[in-house]
Amino acid sequence: MTEREMIEMDQDNQDGSWQVNQDWDREAVYKQPESPVQSNMALASLVMGILGIITSCCCYGGMIFGSLGILFALLSRTEDRFEGYAKAGLITSTIAIVLVVLVIIVFVGTAAMSGLGLGGVFS
């Protein structure tokens, strides 16, 4: 391409149409993808699961927080999918309820052993 052809091309483009198209393409290409909105129910589920594990030695606290954590995790489900926090909340809440059941079994077993007079912990 000669210098004259380049100058003519530059003069042809004086209306700025190329610049307008370039700006429009730049906005289309560099537009940031929208991040998914984090559900507050999923976060509440995780918090309830953690509180359930912490209070699992007290039967009522672990059972209440664990049940609420499972409920919040199921309510936060969107489009048949769980978010990361909802999955973690469901797992921690399930662990809290299992720990509560184990604590109840240990307490009942200890009470039964001491009631039989076989040398339980409290005899």
Side-chain angles (χ1 to χ4, degrees):
M1 206 179 256
T2 65
E3 276 186 57
R4 178 160 174 88
E5 289 174 348
M6 291 177 72
I7 291 172
E8 286 176 8
M9 283 178 51
D10 191 34
Q11 288 174 350
D12 290 339
N13 199 15
Q14 291 299 319
D15 63 351
S17 62
W18 180 79
Q19 186 68 31
V20 171
N21 288 339
Q22 183 183 11
D23 289 340
W24 182 79
D25 289 341
R26 183 179 301 147
E27 289 176 12
V29 171
Y30 293 113
K31 189 171 183 178
Q32 296 258 343
E34 295 181 15
S35 62
V37 177
Q38 197 68 282
S39 173
N40 291 334
M41 285 286 207
L43 183 61
S45 169
L46 179 61
V47 170
M48 291 297 152
I50 292 171
L51 287 174
I53 289 175
I54 291 171
T55 60
S56 63
C57 61
C58 310
C59 297
Y60 298 120
M63 190 63 76
I64 290 170
F65 289 131
S67 300
L68 284 175
I70 291 174
L71 178 70
F72 289 155
L74 293 176
L75 288 176
S76 71
R77 184 176 65 179
T78 56
E79 299 173 5
D80 296 330
R81 288 185 12 190
F82 283 107
E83 294 179 17
Y85 285 150
K87 285 180 187 177
L90 189 64
I91 291 169
T92 54
S93 298
T94 305
I95 290 172
I97 290 178
V98 167
L99 287 175
V100 167
V101 169
L102 289 175
V103 166
I104 290 172
I105 289 172
V106 167
F107 284 158
V108 168
T110 303
M113 291 298 284
S114 66
L116 291 174
L118 298 175
V121 176
F122 300 112
S123 56

